């Protein structure tokens, strides 16, 4: 028989904590609450007694391993298991605080994840994105805006948040841009002539005043451009061009790095351009380039 739960109030407080204090997205809040609910139900059966906040705060490594083994039996992949474990740790830390316990959640090693390699997009396909923007049924300034943002991701290696976070203070665009990246880390990136032209073209068409301290890229009502709209523009473009589903805005940044490395850029310079805190984050691109060369060999060499 299933043991009684500790009541809905714990889960509601957990939900409120995630949404109000940690300000997580609605999707993440739902996933974390669902994980907590599964853990409470499992441990109630596992212990044969109600999984109260105090009892949860005293959960052991063996308890958590039993839960994860049960979830793996449900068909969870390594990556999904790692996400589940992350949610469990956060929930048990919250529960310990609620119960007034000074003990930390038990340490348990998650599954080893294979680091996936980004797929670069061919330069010709990237340039074709500009033509696809012009083919859309949208105002000319919106077409120019979307192309300028996507070109920033490929031409300067920016993250979406960095591109949409630019203000009118960058105008007129010079030969470099100063970017404030993750962790408020500043970096300077060069701006190619094509990119300067694309941003200047957008700035000449946009129907809103681009004040010094206001967002450079605007939505149709004049507010800041949402990253979701950038992703939607890329999705529509790749479908029009017949590009694969992994041709995302972030893949443009990967392509920037991969193409620079293939052209002879060294890892330290690439690290600075991408704004990576550590060189290990940049070294993945050496594997990307090797994979690209292997593809070229297999598709082109007469003895392959």
């Amino acid at each position: 028989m299933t043991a009684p739960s500790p009541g809905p109030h714990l889960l509601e407080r957990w939900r409120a904590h995630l949404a109000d204090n940690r300000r997580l997205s609605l999707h993440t809040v739902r996933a974390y609450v669902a994980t907590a609910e599964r853990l409470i139900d499992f441990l109630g059966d596992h212990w044969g007694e109600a999984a109260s906040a105090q009892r949860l705060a005293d959960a052991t490594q063996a308890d958590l391993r039993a839960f994860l083994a049960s979830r793996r039996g449900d068909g969870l992949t390594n990556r999904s298991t790692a996400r589940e474990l992350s949610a469990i740790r956060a929930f048990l830390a919250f529960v310990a605080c609620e119960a007034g316990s000074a003990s930390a959640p038990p340490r348990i090693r998650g599954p080893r994840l294979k680091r996936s390699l980004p797929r670069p997009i061919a330069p010709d396909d990237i340039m074709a994105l500009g033509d696809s923007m012009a083919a859309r049924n949208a105002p000319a300034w919106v077409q120019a805006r979307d192309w300028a943002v996507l070109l920033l991701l490929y031409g300067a290696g920016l993250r979406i948040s960095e591109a949409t976070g630019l203000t009118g203070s960058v105008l007129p665009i010079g030969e470099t841009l100063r970017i404030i990246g993750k962790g408020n880390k500043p970096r300077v990136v060069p701006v190619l002539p094509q990119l300067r032209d694309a941003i200047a073209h957008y700035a000449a068409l946009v129907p809103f005043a681009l004040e010094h301290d206001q967002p450079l890229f605007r939505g149709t009502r004049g507010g800041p451009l949402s990253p979701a709209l950038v992703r939607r523009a890329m999705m529509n473009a790749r479908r029009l061009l017949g590009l694969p589903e992994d041709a995302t805005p972030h893949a443009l940044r990967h392509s920037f790095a991969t193409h620079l490395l293939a052209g002879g850029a060294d890892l330290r310079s690439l690290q600075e351009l991408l704004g990576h805190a550590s060189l290990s984050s940049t070294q993945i691109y050496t594997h990307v380039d090797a994979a690209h060369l292997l593809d070229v060999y297999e598709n082109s060499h007469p003895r392959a």
Side-chain angles (χ1 to χ4, degrees), residues 12-69:
E12 285 305 315
R13 291 195 300 274
W14 174 230
R15 186 192 309 276
H17 170 74
L18 294 171
D20 300 336
N21 298 340
R22 295 186 57 182
R23 298 186 179 278
L24 299 180
S25 70
L26 181 62
H27 174 78
T28 303
V29 170
R30 285 174 177 166
Y32 272 41
V33 171
T35 295
E37 192 167 14
R38 282 192 292 269
L39 180 67
I40 289 170
D41 289 345
F42 173 84
L43 291 180
D45 286 340
H46 184 64
W47 293 330
E49 63 180 87
S52 64
Q54 184 60 59
R55 190 73 173 88
L56 288 167
D58 294 333
T60 66
Q61 280 187 345
D63 294 330
L64 298 191
R65 287 197 185 101
F67 172 72
L68 291 176

Side-chain angles (χ1 to χ4, degrees), residues 162-180 191 199 202-203 209-218:
E162 294 169 346
T164 57
L166 293 174
T167 66
S169 63
V170 302
L171 298 176
I173 297 291
E175 294 184 351
T176 60
L177 270 177
R178 186 173 185 272
I179 303 299
I180 304 298
V191 181
I199 295 175
Y202 157 74
L210 300 177
E211 294 92 348
H212 187 273
D213 60 346
Q214 294 298 310
L216 172 63
F217 295 110
R218 306 294 186 86

Side-chain angles (χ1 to χ4, degrees), residues 40-157:
I40 289 170
D41 289 345
F42 173 84
L43 291 180
D45 286 340
H46 184 64
W47 293 330
E49 63 180 87
S52 64
Q54 184 60 59
R55 190 73 173 88
L56 288 167
D58 294 333
T60 66
Q61 280 187 345
D63 294 330
L64 298 191
R65 287 197 185 101
F67 172 72
L68 291 176
S70 170
R71 294 291 290 141
R72 291 303 291 265
D74 294 335
L76 241 62
T77 63
N78 279 359
R79 192 165 298 278
S80 296
T81 302
R83 284 196 296 266
E84 193 98 335
L85 181 56
S86 177
I88 290 169
R89 287 170 176 152
F91 174 62
L92 291 182
F94 169 79
V95 166
C97 182
E98 285 266 306
S101 172
S103 61
R107 297 179 63 87
I108 180 170
R109 181 175 295 179
R112 180 170 294 180
L113 300 179
K114 183 180 179 181
R115 197 168 186 182
S116 59
L117 299 177
R119 291 184 178 183
I121 306 173
D124 287 346
D125 288 336
I126 293 173
M127 292 302 104
L129 292 173
D131 296 331
S132 73
M133 297 298 157
R136 290 164 49 207
N137 183 22
W141 75 269
V142 171
Q143 297 173 10
R145 176 201 69 192
D146 292 346
W147 175 230
V149 173
L150 294 180
L151 204 53
L152 271 168
L153 308 186
Y154 175 65

Side-chain angles (χ1 to χ4, degrees), residues 176-200:
T176 60
L177 270 177
R178 186 173 185 272
I179 303 299
I180 304 298
K182 284 187 176 180
N184 289 323
K185 182 183 177 183
R187 71 183 189 277
V188 175
V189 297
V191 181
L192 300 172
Q194 298 95 320
L195 178 51
R196 288 200 299 272
D197 292 345
I199 295 175

